Amino acid sequence: MIPKTWKEFRETISDNAVRNNIPISGQFELTARCNLRCKMCYVCRAANDQAAISRELTAVEWINLAREAQKAGMLYLLLTGGEVFIRPDFQEIYEEMLKLGLRITIYTNATLITPEIAQWLGRFPPAAMEVTIYGASAQTYQKVSGDPDGFSQTLRGIDLLAAQGINLKLRTTVISDNAADHDQLVKLAEDRDLLLQYVLYISPRRGVLSGVKDSLRLSPQEITQYEIKASQTFARIVSKMKEKYDLPPNALADQTKQRNNLVSPHYPFKCNAGRSAFWVTWFGAMTPCGTMAEPATEPLRTGFANAWKELTALCAAIPLCSECSQCSVREVCWTCPARLKSETGHFDRPASYLCEWAKLRNIYF
Ligand SMILES: C[S@@+](CC[C@H](N)C(=O)[O-])C[C@H]1O[C@@H](n2cnc3c(N)ncnc32)[C@H](O)[C@@H]1O
């Protein structure tokens, strides 16, 4: 079938990549360092952490890796951190990757965006930028990130980027310290005509099995309540946007739900991790996704193609959680091997936080 729309075209490419294990979607974590110190962050190192600086890949290493990945089929690339704008060589890295013709998305907290950086991005725009907004006041930023100025700096960054016509989205990562800011965050996004997305599941720090402090993330009951409110808001904003921009009825639909059935029931992940998507950590390990420390391969030592091949085999061998596979609320559960491993230390043991949340989601969603 010949695709008729851009969406169909993207889906055809994506399906083909999954079937043939082509790594079309890459995520490069350029640094672990950040100017904010968010208490829930899975990767956050201090801005001047010398030990982290000495282990980070150089600009040349990142660029060479992108070239190799592109040869193997990478089309989409997410640049994230840490905070990418903390790297003095970010401009060089980004421009070289853009020259490869990749469709680049950047994740940022936007606090380091200056008028000059915004203008430069306006000249060489990424496909999209997603700005995480950690709260709707200086007080909330202080509590979440340790920096009260972060709030005004983020708003300034968002407005500078928007003025350059950058394709922007907002996202917020919900923890107990910022949950009460929901309505103000929505207003802030609506005032700027921007879509607000939510990161609802807070994972433990990558590779550290210490759980997440109960006081840090919302309980399954609280997060379900938040999710109900957020989904109502999302539906309202989407319908407003459809009307305003005359979008077709299926625009801005929930992509995850639509795409879930592509991956076989025997493959442990619901998403495309380890089939057509991969992550490279700030020190050069290739993993299926950003919250997983293992399985990991070494693209700088073995070459990208070998590291990818090895990773796909390791992912396919991850044991399925049989309790999860047979669970009656599996359809609405956020379970995946990455989450089970970081919650329980095992790929195949159910995680009580996710189980409780799924039981509630089954009632409301
Ligand atoms: C680690 S940040 C890096 C990119 C950039 N500095 C930013 O603020 O968006 C990427 C995203 O991960 C989210 N995040 C941080 N810690 C998380 C955790 N433990 N679980 C889930 N998401 C988390 C952040 O809120 C942000 O949206």
Side-chain angles (χ1 to χ4, degrees):
M1 187 189 79
I2 298 170
K4 291 191 197 68
T5 61
W6 172 236
K7 186 165 174 281
E8 277 178 19
F9 177 63
R10 279 187 66 139
E11 286 175 4
T12 307
I13 291 178
S14 168
D15 292 357
N16 181 53
V18 167
R19 281 196 197 94
N20 297 297
N21 277 165
I22 299 167
I24 56 164
S25 184
Q27 308 181 62
F28 286 1
E29 182 182 80
L30 298 183
T31 176
R33 295 174 298 119
C34 190
N35 55 315
L36 298 182
R37 304 305 310 277
C38 297
K39 47 171 79 160
M40 71 291 186
C41 189
Y42 57 82
V43 66
C44 183
R45 298 278 189 111
N48 59 358
D49 184 328
Q50 294 305 317
I53 293 174
S54 67
R55 284 184 74 197
E56 272 171 17
L57 301 195
T58 63
V60 172
E61 285 171 323
W62 280 120
I63 293 161
N64 287 339
L65 200 59
R67 286 202 183 106
E68 282 188 61
Q70 190 212 29
K71 271 194 204 129
M74 182 171 73
L75 281 177
Y76 308 110
L77 175 61
L78 170 70
L79 298 178
T80 183
E83 177 53 43
V84 293
F85 290 99
I86 216 166
R87 282 192 71 131
D89 52 5
F90 178 67
Q91 199 156 331
E92 175 193 349
I93 295 173
Y94 172 75
E95 285 188 16
E96 286 305 315
M97 290 181 182
L98 204 62
K99 280 187 211 156
L100 294 174
L102 299 166
R103 194 171 191 282
I104 298 180
T105 297
I106 301 174
Y107 279 5
T108 177
N109 61 37
T111 54
L112 302 176
I113 301 293
T114 59
E116 293 72 31
I117 291 177
Q119 277 159 21
W120 163 67
L121 286 166
R123 283 200 304 282
F124 304 104
M129 279 181 90
E130 297 199 13
V131 175
T132 311
I133 179 146
Y134 290 96
S137 70
Q139 289 85 335
T140 306
Y141 261 75
Q142 168 72 61
K143 281 195 266 174
V144 177
S145 75
D147 184 357
D149 296 335
F151 179 57
S152 56
Q153 290 167 351
T154 300
L155 289 189
R156 186 201 53 193
I158 291 169
D159 293 338
L160 285 168
L161 293 168
Q164 294 295 325
I166 305 286
N167 176 20
L168 275 184
K169 276 187 197 141
L170 302 186
R171 62 211 320 260
T172 187
T173 306
V174 185
I175 61 171
S176 19
D177 283 327
N178 60 18
D181 286 15
H182 175 264
D183 294 353
Q184 294 104 294
L185 282 178
V186 170
K187 180 168 181 340
L188 215 143
E190 279 195 284
D191 286 350
R192 291 167 172 76
D193 218 1
L194 296 173
L195 209 57
L196 176 67
Q197 306 181 123
Y198 303 89
V199 178
L200 298 174
Y201 170 73
I202 301 298
S203 68
R205 190 153 287 209
R206 188 168 63 210
V208 183
L209 187 69
S210 58
V212 188
K213 270 199 229 128
D214 282 346
S215 59
L216 182 75
R217 65 182 178 187
L218 297 182
S219 68
Q221 288 77 12
E222 290 166 332
I223 196 69
T224 308
Q225 291 308 321
Y226 191 102
E227 199 180 356
I228 292 168
K229 200 158 53 160
S231 65
Q232 287 163 348
T233 311
F234 189 80
R236 182 174 59 73
I237 293 176
V238 164
S239 93
K240 224 170 91 180
M241 283 193 165
K242 279 184 185 165
E243 209 172 294
K244 185 167 172 186
Y245 298 109
D246 199 19
L247 299 175
N250 65 348
L252 299 171
D254 184 340
Q255 300 272 327
T256 345
K257 276 189 190 145
Q258 289 177 8
R259 312 300 302 149
N260 267 354
N261 53 7
L262 181 74
V263 179
S264 109
H266 307 296
Y267 188 67
F269 293 88
K270 286 180 183 173
C271 67
N272 295 338
R275 290 197 138 190
S276 65
F278 65 94
W279 184 281
V280 182
T281 67
W282 55 278
F283 52 88
M286 185 191 284
T287 62
C289 88
T291 53
M292 296 180 92
E294 57 175 292
T297 60
E298 299 177 79
L300 273 87
R301 193 177 59 79
T302 64
F304 179 90
N306 289 328
W308 170 246
K309 202 167 162 207
E310 211 186 320
L311 189 75
T312 56
L314 290 169
C315 286
I318 287 177
L320 273 170
C321 171
S322 57
E323 273 186 67
C324 292
S325 311
Q326 288 156 24
C327 180
S328 62
V329 296
R330 181 171 166 71
E331 286 292 302
V332 291
C333 185
W334 296 119
T335 182
C336 78
R339 290 171 180 173
L340 296 186
K341 175 81 174 167
S342 54
E343 296 273 338
T344 72
H346 300 270
F347 288 120
D348 53 359
R349 291 207 189 146
S352 57
Y353 183 80
L354 294 171
C355 295
E356 281 183 50
W357 189 1
K359 282 180 201 148
L360 292 163
R361 293 194 89 235
N362 194 42
I363 300 170
Y364 296 107
F365 291 93

